[in-house]
Amino acid sequence: MMTVLYGIGMILRFILKIALLPVQAALTLLMLAIGFIGGFANIACGLIGSFFVIGGICSFINGDISLGWQGLLVGIVVAVIPQALTLWGAEGVLGLKELLARI
């Protein structure tokens, strides 16, 4: 009886692996899309953040300390958040793919 249940389990696992192939392919494409779009977003937000940082430094030079700190902080946040979202998104999809690969 145990051998029959084991055989049925192996057959069901094989069918499930075949059924999950399109999901794995879609997750791979999603991971590549996150990397591609994230690269563009990182470049654009890095440039915008650089302008804020440069503006903050110029504000420090002109004597407006509070505006200088605001420029520095906004520049750092604008440059870092898209990178974090890209990393977390890609790692989340990779974790999901690994979870599905264990089945």
Side-chain angles (χ1 to χ4, degrees):
M1 181 69 177
M2 198 66 165
T3 308
V4 173
L5 289 176
Y6 179 75
I8 291 172
M10 291 297 292
I11 291 170
L12 288 175
R13 187 173 180 199
F14 179 74
I15 291 170
L16 187 60
K17 279 188 175 259
I18 298 295
L20 287 177
L21 280 176
V23 175
Q24 287 278 6
L27 288 174
T28 301
L29 289 175
L30 178 64
M31 208 164 80
L32 291 172
I34 287 172
F36 181 71
I37 294 172
F40 283 131
N42 288 340
I43 291 171
C45 290
L47 287 173
I48 293 169
S50 298
F51 288 132
F52 276 112
V53 169
I54 291 170
I57 291 171
C58 290
S59 293
F60 275 131
I61 293 171
N62 289 334
D64 193 1
I65 303 297
S66 65
L67 188 62
W69 282 115
Q70 288 175 4
L72 286 174
L73 291 176
V74 168
I76 291 169
V77 168
V78 166
V80 169
I81 286 180
Q83 290 178 354
L85 291 176
T86 302
L87 266 170
W88 293 338
E91 288 298 319
V93 172
L94 186 62
L96 186 59
K97 282 185 59 148
E98 289 176 1
L99 179 72
L100 290 176
R102 285 191 215 165
I103 294 177

